[in-house]
Amino acid sequence: MNGMVNWKNINSNPMTTLDRNQRLLDVLCGKRNTINRGQRDVFIRSDNRTDDIGLYTASVYKTAGKISDEILDKINFAYLDGTETPDGFIFDGVKYLNKDIPSISLDRCEKVVAQNNVIVFQKGKYYQFTDEAGKTHILTCGYGGLTQPYSDINRGVVDDKSFQIGQFWNLLSKNGTFIGLHCSEETERKRLNDAGITEGFFSVQVGDNKQEYFYSNGHAGAAVLKERYDNTYQMFMTQTEILFRDYKPGAVFQVGGKEYVLSEDKKLDIPYGVDIYDVKWPPRKHA
């Protein structure tokens, strides 16, 4: 008849049946209505009255105002233990908003000071640095090396200079051969000097990464890989026929600020550990 619905035809439509079944499954599983987001979820009560459908609201996290040092440490070193949201972090059921994150107190930051020409940055600690302009920067040492604190980044403070300082020490802890591509030699020397590094062998460790160097005042740059120094020193000791073929015995060489005389068999008695990159060669005298 006109105006009447043919329920038989509708019920026999496979697509209609599939849609109806899916809706039923959604109700039984307590699935949120994807069209009406924000509405209350539907669920089946946990008693035997399966035909009695109830309503509940989603869990609401308690929001904290003040953020303690303990939570700051979790954000910077163990944020994976919680949940990060677009506007903050959730730890143990409490939400901490990015807008409430404070800066890290300098009292909690260690200064970078070498001990016996050894610098060690330990995971889970904060460090303070002073740049060429005298401004203080704070970095954390975590699984990613020395970086700007994650808490600072999340509260909207992004500092390019902090990135550069962290990159400097991270590179030294691995392989600083091409560190000159990232900073000038003047900056390189200032950062090493400010950290208390003196001429000679030194090492830099960031977390689990450690590398050894020789601090030179010569032409090779400030930080020379120890492996490279060893190879160069070996050349000075063994390749004398090539290095000193244009010099007569008695020629005086200045190496690392000290004078060394070329022996009769054309060798220089240079102690290991001398700055072999800081050499002043005498005039050549062909035999």
Side-chain angles (χ1 to χ4, degrees):
M1 291 183 291
N2 293 335
M4 296 186 63
V5 178
N6 189 337
W7 293 103
K8 180 178 180 181
N9 291 338
I10 292 179
N11 291 334
S12 63
N13 187 319
M15 294 303 297
T16 302
T17 303
L18 179 61
D19 181 68
R20 185 179 67 252
N21 291 343
Q22 182 62 54
R23 290 175 181 272
L24 180 60
L25 286 174
D26 288 349
V27 171
L28 292 176
C29 294
K31 183 177 180 180
R32 181 182 295 272
N33 188 321
T34 58
I35 298 177
N36 301 305
R37 292 187 181 276
Q39 293 183 354
R40 292 178 297 176
D41 294 347
V42 181
F43 78 110
I44 303 299
R45 296 184 187 277
S46 59
D47 55 23
N48 293 326
R49 298 167 60 191
T50 57
D51 61 338
D52 188 2
I53 297 178
L55 300 173
Y56 76 99
T57 56
S59 299
V60 176
Y61 293 101
K62 176 183 177 182
T63 301
K66 183 178 180 181
I67 296 180
S68 65
D69 289 343
E70 179 184 0
I71 297 301
L72 270 180
D73 292 347
K74 284 187 176 182
I75 293 174
N76 288 313
F77 303 114
Y79 70 92
L80 292 178
D81 291 345
T83 301
E84 184 175 2
T85 68
D87 60 346
F89 297 85
I90 298 171
F91 294 102
D92 299 324
V94 180
K95 187 169 186 178
Y96 304 89
L97 299 177
N98 291 332
K99 68 181 184 66
D100 295 326
I101 296 178
S103 60
I104 297 166
S105 172
L106 287 178
D107 294 337
R108 304 191 64 209
C109 303
E110 297 190 13
K111 293 185 177 180
V112 183
V113 180
Q115 299 291 335
N116 298 320
N117 256 17
V118 174
I119 291 183
V120 178
F121 297 99
Q122 298 180 352
K123 288 181 181 178
K125 290 191 175 183
Y126 300 98
Y127 294 91
Q128 59 175 299
F129 302 81
T130 302
D131 64 19
E132 299 78 8
K135 182 180 177 181
T136 300
H137 302 265
I138 296 175
L139 280 81
T140 58
C141 184
Y143 293 103
L146 277 174
T147 60
Q148 187 180 359
Y150 199 43
S151 58
D152 281 354
I153 295 175
N154 273 53
R155 68 189 182 94
V157 178
V158 180
D159 186 359
D160 289 340
K161 181 62 70 172
S162 291
F163 170 79
Q164 293 169 12
I165 294 173
Q167 181 187 55
F168 175 82
W169 294 107
N170 289 333
L171 285 173
L172 283 182
S173 71
K174 300 174 183 177
N175 187 335
T177 300
F178 301 106
I179 200 166
L181 298 177
H182 303 278
C183 67
S184 66
E185 185 174 328
E186 180 183 2
T187 298
E188 178 185 356
R189 292 188 185 280
K190 184 179 188 323
R191 288 175 180 170
L192 293 175
N193 294 339
D194 288 348
I197 294 296
T198 57
E199 184 178 329
F201 294 108
F202 72 96
S203 65
V204 174
Q205 181 173 345
V206 178
D208 299 327
N209 298 315
K210 181 180 180 180
Q211 188 60 265
E212 294 180 281
Y213 295 89
F214 182 86
Y215 188 118
S216 171
N217 289 312
H219 60 84
V224 179
L225 281 171
K226 182 179 180 297
E227 180 181 0
R228 179 183 174 187
Y229 176 94
D230 290 342
N231 292 336
T232 305
Y233 180 80
Q234 185 68 15
M235 182 184 68
F236 264 98
M237 296 296 101
T238 61
Q239 303 299 318
T240 57
E241 290 297 326
I242 297 176
L243 287 176
F244 307 122
R245 63 185 177 185
D246 294 334
Y247 301 93
K248 291 183 178 180
V252 178
F253 292 77
Q254 194 174 76
V255 184
K258 294 183 179 181
E259 293 185 347
Y260 297 90
V261 179
L262 192 64
S263 66
E264 290 294 330
D265 56 355
K266 289 195 175 183
K267 291 184 180 180
L268 287 178
D269 187 16
I270 305 174
Y272 181 73
V274 170
D275 192 349
I276 52 180
Y277 297 98
D278 180 16
V279 181
K280 292 183 179 179
W281 298 75
R284 294 185 180 187
K285 296 180 180 179
H286 293 279

